[in-house]
Amino acid sequence: MAHNVGYARQIFLNLTSWRTEARRCLCQTGAVLARHKRRVPVQQKVTKYLRKKVPVISVFKEMTVKELASSMEKDTKHVISCLRGLNISQTVKKDSAILDINVISEVCHMSGVKHRIIARPSSHKAVAVDHDVYSRPKASPSICKPRPPVVTIMGHVDHGKTTLLDYLRKSKIVDMEFGGITQHIGAFSVTLKDGKSITFLDTPGHAAFSSMRGRGAKITDIIVLVVAADDGVMPQTIESIKHATQSQAPIIVAMNKCDREEAEVEACKRDLAEHGVVLEELGGDVIGVEISALHGTNIDALQEAIITQAEMMDIKADPTGAMEGRIIETKTEEGRGKIASILVQRGTLNLGSFLVSDLGFCKVRRLNDEHGKPMKTAGPGQATEVVGWKELPSPGAEVLQVENESQMKKVISYRKAHEQQLREEEEWNAIKENRRSHEEEHTLKVKRRHELGLKQYVMSLRRELGELDITKPTEDMSVPRLSLIVKADVDGSLEAILSCLETYSSDLCEMEILSSGVGEVGQNDVELAEAFDGIVLAFNTKSSDKVEKLATDCNVLIRKHNIIYKLVDDVKSILNERVLPQIEQKVLGEAVIQKVFYVTEKINKKNKKIPVAGCLCINGVLDRSKQYKLVRGSEVLHVDTLYMLKHFKNEVEEIKDNMECGLAFKDHGVDILEGDSILCYEEYQVKPEITWNLPF
């Protein structure tokens, strides 16, 4: 027996971290230990041994395989084998992140270790040291040199902005613009006869591009407000004035179409004055030039006015050091990758420079001007197209140059970590707020229970539940829905389309945007549209033959557009197609019951007395084949069809106005009284149309 006790002890001393095996062995040898009166001491030693030997590790969300293996002091192969044992669908590598915290818990359990969940330590460490880059302090006036003024053309749609820009750069952009409107911000330089140059930003006048005009106003020096003399001040004109006021940029008014007979120049000047733009001839400080963009009348005078205004402002910048600027527009092109146009505000941009903007970053592989020709450098006041972005920033974002690739990666890592920390803090604050509200609600319930007592509290809960109509659905599932995937050529166009779609609101058909992005329509877009019975909107972008075939096989529509108001009209028509028809009623005739009597009819081989209403038709026609309502006062008591309709003793199909009749409902148990009204009506389907108007 002593041998058995020693053998049991040896088993427990050689146990690994598998606690279940230890307990099983303890149960098997319990009887032997009990006979020798040593069960309790050995159990205590074994329990103490197990508690001592099981390690506790710290885990966190999105932990990598390598980090988890290091915490458990095991090989990465061990973690990978555990994950494969759990049938993880994702491809598992050493640097793969385990997204599900429950999977991490299972791996710890399989490895025989305890764990506790903590916040990711690396994110807080990254944020602790500031690796971000910032714009340089204001340069000394002694090193600053004159730069070209940045001028933004603003105004209402069809007032001649693109025609003016077309004349300035001697091209035919107005013929290339789809639908005669500018779809996204462009930039170009104009060199005057005296060698001076002006950089023009073209912001669209379309109502949908309000936010784009706002970005243009923030990075401009001078605003040229184009107003058509034959049309006057319009909504986008007023909006452009507001953007100019907010940016504190001086305004030069270009009074366009002055050569037309219907032009009312003086009336336009008065309208502008009412909105705070007072021209010099009316006693204000705003320069005004009367032009004709189509024929080039007074364009030289407009350029001189811009140069004069720029000289008064003494526009200068520091051309030395690292480049600083702003993103004008972003896009993705097949074969060229991610592209962003930049306005250089300080320093000089060179090929091979490293840039950061928001979470976007790039090494400059190519610089192009507005004509697509390569540039070697871009100085202050110049706009250039930059090729080589790995991640695209947002339009209007600040662009800063860093020394090398290593610093670029540190800046982006810091910004991502900082953004993650802010997001976690917001989530934690939301959790604390939810906890606080739940605790307050629980405290009120407990207080109410103590005040009423348990019996009265339960009765009050039953009364509250009885007042709820649990049979009424919380959401009308019969309302149709249109799901959209939106793809556009550039970020600005996408933003404008989304802002238009966000104005939609109707109870007839719901609309949701599943996904949106810049670039060509891809396979994922088609598959997502198929899953939600949606459509793909492609604005001025392409889709490959493979994607087109997939869309045909999946019965998914790809609607391609290059004019924004036509896109909105198309979406509106698709919404109307999905609207469910509504049932409406049309009253054909009305009768008043003058007397109620009973007649004997043979029904199912039995004689039965049925109530008959003696009526007078007071309006319209009573048609036997239609539906009828029995109305008493303002309440509808019964809806039915007719069993009989007689004029005197003759069965008839209809009773006209001012004729007497006898009628009976198919439901013979209906309670009819003298003075009740009977309405004859018919039902028909009507498909309502969605009202969705935009100021195009």
Side-chain angles (χ1 to χ4, degrees):
M1 194 61 64
H3 173 73
N4 291 337
V5 173
Y7 179 70
R9 286 179 179 174
Q10 188 65 31
I11 290 175
F12 293 126
L13 292 175
N14 293 331
L15 282 177
T16 62
S17 58
W18 299 96
R19 301 170 63 188
T20 53
E21 182 67 17
R23 291 194 182 96
R24 187 178 66 80
C25 294
L26 181 61
C27 293
Q28 289 178 352
T29 57
V32 177
L33 297 173
R35 283 196 292 270
H36 286 265
K37 298 182 181 181
R38 298 185 61 181
R39 178 176 181 175
V40 174
V42 172
Q43 279 185 334
Q44 290 176 350
K45 289 181 180 179
V46 171
T47 305
K48 184 178 180 181
Y49 172 80
L50 291 174
R51 287 178 180 172
K52 181 179 179 181
K53 292 297 181 181
V54 177
V56 179
I57 66 168
S58 298
V59 298
F60 45 86
K61 291 175 64 177
E62 299 184 4
M63 202 174 191
T64 64
V65 172
K66 185 177 180 180
E67 290 171 339
L68 181 56
S70 177
S71 297
M72 295 191 302
E73 296 182 355
K74 293 183 179 294
D75 196 339
T76 54
K77 293 181 180 179
H78 169 78
V79 179
I80 292 173
S81 63
C82 291
L83 292 172
R84 288 174 179 169
L86 294 172
N87 295 324
I88 301 300
S89 59
Q90 71 180 78
T91 304
V92 181
K93 295 181 180 179
K94 183 166 45 173
D95 296 326
S96 300
I98 308 173
L99 304 179
D100 192 349
I101 192 68
N102 295 322
V103 173
I104 297 176
S105 301
E106 286 294 328
V107 173
C108 293
H109 179 70
M110 293 171 67
S111 303
V113 296
K114 291 182 178 180
H115 68 280
R116 58 189 181 93
I117 301 173
I118 63 170
R120 174 180 281 275
S122 59
S123 62
H124 299 286
K125 289 178 182 177
V127 177
V129 180
D130 190 348
H131 291 294
D132 208 348
V133 62
Y134 304 95
S135 57
R136 292 175 287 160
K138 190 174 180 180
S140 172
S142 60
I143 62 173
C144 292
K145 295 181 179 180
R147 66 165 174 82
V150 180
V151 179
T152 299
I153 307 292
M154 288 187 171
H156 190 73
V157 63
D158 199 33
H159 274 202
K161 300 180 306 303
T162 305
T163 307
L164 173 59
L165 291 166
D166 174 39
Y167 187 88
L168 288 169
R169 57 190 161 187
K170 302 298 181 183
S171 63
K172 290 296 179 182
I173 298 300
V174 71
D175 296 332
M176 296 191 300
E177 293 290 358
F178 297 109
I181 62 173
T182 307
Q183 301 291 336
H184 51 79
I185 291 178
F188 66 96
S189 296
V190 172
T191 303
L192 306 181
K193 295 178 181 179
D194 58 0
K196 296 179 180 179
S197 62
I198 304 172
T199 299
F200 285 96
L201 294 181
D202 174 22
T203 64
H206 196 283
F209 296 86
S210 172
S211 60
M212 294 174 67
R213 284 197 296 278
R215 286 198 300 269
K218 289 177 183 176
I219 60 179
T220 192
D221 299 315
I222 301 170
I223 291 176
V224 173
L225 182 63
V226 178
V227 184
D230 61 341
D231 202 9
V233 176
M234 298 300 286
Q236 276 73 58
T237 313
I238 299 171
E239 186 183 322
S240 298
I241 294 172
K242 291 180 180 178
H243 285 311
T245 303
Q246 292 172 0
S247 65
Q248 299 180 346
I251 297 176
I252 296 176
V253 175
M255 201 78 65
N256 194 25
K257 305 182 182 180
C258 291
D259 54 336
R260 293 191 176 183
E261 294 182 0
E262 58 270 25
E264 297 180 0
V265 177
E266 297 302 324
C268 284
K269 292 178 181 179
R270 291 193 296 270
D271 290 345
L272 288 169
E274 291 178 1
H275 291 90
V277 181
V278 184
L279 301 183
E280 290 178 337
E281 52 262 42
L282 298 180
D285 56 355
V286 177
I287 301 174
V289 183
E290 298 178 12
I291 67 169
S292 171
L294 185 62
H295 300 100
T297 307
N298 279 346
I299 300 300
D300 291 340
L302 177 62
Q303 293 175 347
E304 291 175 4
I306 294 172
I307 294 298
T308 302
Q309 182 68 53
E311 289 175 350
M312 292 171 56
M313 297 170 64
D314 193 22
I315 298 175
K316 293 182 178 181
D318 176 15
T320 62
M323 190 279 302
E324 299 175 12
R326 289 279 173 178
I327 298 291
I328 302 175
E329 192 52 271
T330 62
K331 60 182 178 180
T332 302
E333 289 186 6
E334 186 178 2
R336 300 179 67 201
K338 296 179 173 65
I339 302 169
S341 53
I342 295 177
L343 175 67
V344 179
Q345 296 175 312
R346 184 179 180 182
T348 301
L349 180 59
N350 300 295
L351 290 171
S353 300
F354 294 92
L355 306 179
V356 293
S357 178
D358 282 343
L359 298 179
F361 58 97
C362 88
K363 179 181 180 182
V364 180
R365 292 193 290 110
R366 187 181 177 90
L367 296 175
N368 296 328
D369 62 9
E370 66 270 16
H371 303 294
K373 295 181 180 179
M375 304 171 61
K376 293 183 179 180
T377 60
Q382 287 185 297
T384 182
E385 189 180 65
V386 177
V387 180
W389 291 86
K390 299 297 182 183
E391 294 293 337
L392 283 176
S394 302
E398 184 183 35
V399 187
L400 297 174
Q401 180 181 343
V402 295
E403 293 182 4
N404 48 44
E405 186 175 3
S406 176
Q407 186 185 6
M408 179 179 70
K409 291 180 178 180
K410 284 184 179 180
V411 170
I412 296 301
S413 298
Y414 171 82
R415 291 183 177 183
K416 287 181 178 179
H418 184 67
E419 188 179 81
Q420 175 68 20
Q421 183 178 350
L422 292 178
R423 193 182 302 114
E424 289 177 358
E425 289 176 356
E426 290 177 1
E427 292 175 356
W428 176 241
N429 291 333
I431 291 171
K432 289 195 294 185
E433 180 63 25
N434 288 335
R435 285 180 179 176
R436 187 188 62 79
S437 61
H438 287 313
E439 288 175 359
E440 289 179 357
E441 184 179 353
H442 177 70
T443 303
L444 290 175
K445 286 182 179 180
V446 172
K447 183 179 179 182
R448 183 183 175 192
R449 177 179 173 179
H450 286 308
E451 290 175 352
L452 296 177
L454 180 60
K455 187 175 181 180
Q456 292 294 330
Y457 178 68
V458 173
M459 291 178 64
S460 67
L461 288 179
R462 287 178 177 174
R463 284 195 298 270
E464 291 176 3
L465 291 173
E467 293 173 357
L468 297 175
D469 185 6
I470 60 175
T471 61
K472 185 177 181 181
T474 56
E475 184 179 355
D476 188 5
M477 301 301 293
S478 63
V479 177
R481 180 187 295 267
L482 175 62
S483 301
L484 300 176
I485 291 92
V486 185
K487 300 302 287 286
D489 56 341
V490 295
D491 207 10
S493 298
L494 178 65
E495 182 183 0
I497 293 168
L498 295 179
S499 66
C500 283
L501 297 178
E502 287 173 359
T503 63
Y504 173 78
S505 177
S506 176
D507 296 331
L508 299 175
C509 183
E510 296 179 353
M511 183 175 69
E512 63 175 348
I513 299 173
L514 296 175
S515 173
S516 62
V518 174
E520 292 188 1
V521 178
Q523 181 179 343
N524 292 337
D525 301 319
V526 175
E527 292 174 350
L528 184 62
E530 181 192 17
F532 288 87
D533 189 25
I535 65 171
V536 180
L537 297 178
F539 185 79
N540 206 19
T541 188
K542 304 175 184 177
S543 56
S544 64
D545 295 338
K546 182 179 178 181
V547 172
E548 293 281 354
K549 185 179 183 304
L550 177 64
T552 304
D553 296 340
C554 298
N555 198 23
V556 171
L557 291 176
I558 299 178
R559 308 301 283 260
K560 297 182 179 180
H561 295 277
N562 47 35
I563 302 175
I564 192 168
Y565 59 79
K566 289 188 177 180
L567 179 144
V568 174
D569 289 341
D570 188 26
V571 173
K572 185 177 177 181
S573 65
I574 297 172
L575 287 166
N576 280 317
E577 289 175 2
R578 300 204 176 192
V579 171
L580 298 177
Q582 296 181 354
I583 304 298
E584 292 193 1
Q585 298 177 352
K586 181 182 179 182
V587 177
L588 302 176
E590 182 180 1
V592 177
I593 299 177
Q594 296 180 324
K595 189 175 181 180
V596 179
F597 55 92
Y598 292 86
V599 298
T600 303
E601 290 284 327
K602 200 165 188 177
I603 302 174
N604 295 330
K605 298 182 180 181
K606 293 182 180 180
N607 292 332
K608 188 175 180 181
K609 287 187 176 182
I610 62 173
V612 177
C615 303
L616 174 66
C617 181
I618 61 174
N619 184 26
V621 176
L622 304 182
D623 190 334
R624 180 173 179 171
S625 63
K626 304 300 182 183
Q627 294 279 107
Y628 284 81
K629 292 180 182 179
L630 175 65
V631 181
R632 185 172 297 161
S634 59
E635 183 181 0
V636 177
L637 300 179
H638 185 64
V639 177
D640 203 352
T641 54
L642 294 185
Y643 172 74
M644 70 165 62
L645 178 63
K646 290 187 176 182
H647 181 57
F648 296 109
K649 294 184 178 181
N650 300 323
E651 287 277 353
V652 294
E653 293 299 321
E654 66 177 29
I655 296 293
K656 296 182 179 179
D657 191 12
N658 291 325
M659 291 178 61
E660 293 182 341
C661 66
L663 60 82
F665 291 106
K666 282 190 175 181
D667 184 357
H668 305 316
V670 179
D671 180 25
I672 55 177
L673 299 175
E674 295 180 5
D676 290 350
S677 297
I678 294 178
L679 299 179
C680 174
Y681 69 96
E682 66 176 353
E683 293 182 343
Y684 59 95
Q685 288 187 346
V686 175
K687 199 166 185 180
E689 286 196 3
I690 292 171
T691 303
W692 183 21
N693 297 319
L694 290 169
F696 290 156

